[in-house]
Amino acid sequence: MVVWLTMGAAALVGRPDEHGDVELGFMVLPGFAAHCFAGEIVSTLSGWALSQGARRVIAYFDEADAASAHDLLRSGFSDTREPLYPGVARWALAA
């Protein structure tokens, strides 16, 4: 599922894996960042994924990106403390 919006884009990447994890990607154009659209997008897609049987929704982002961390935190995500690559944060929302 990919959602293209005039203010950015968001997608659930593929189907849940063998552990029930699905990846969420999102971005909001700079002019719309202050309008809280990212949090709404994250919450809506994550809620849909979990309602469809996903166990966790996973988001990867640049660990220096405070805005993404803020949007994910507001949507119930937390840091998994499982960095796969230097400089990349991995956050999750569990069912």
Side-chain angles (χ1 to χ4, degrees):
M1 169 190 262
V2 176
V3 179
W4 288 99
L5 309 163
T6 58
M7 74 229 26
L12 293 169
V13 183
R15 298 182 183 273
D17 64 15
E18 65 276 2
H19 305 291
D21 293 349
V22 66
E23 185 176 340
L24 169 70
F26 69 98
M27 61 81 62
V28 174
L29 297 172
F32 295 95
H35 299 286
C36 300
F37 292 126
E40 290 297 321
I41 293 166
V42 168
S43 292
T44 300
L45 285 178
S46 298
W48 184 84
L50 296 173
S51 76
Q52 297 301 306
R55 185 178 70 83
R56 287 192 316 173
V57 179
I58 307 291
Y60 298 93
F61 62 99
D62 184 325
E63 67 183 5
D65 185 352
S68 289
H70 176 75
D71 293 329
L72 291 166
L73 185 62
R74 286 185 47 216
S75 298
F77 281 71
S78 59
D79 190 344
T80 65
R81 308 268 187 231
E82 302 166 341
L84 298 180
Y85 308 102
V88 177
R90 182 177 196 249
W91 285 38
L93 175 66

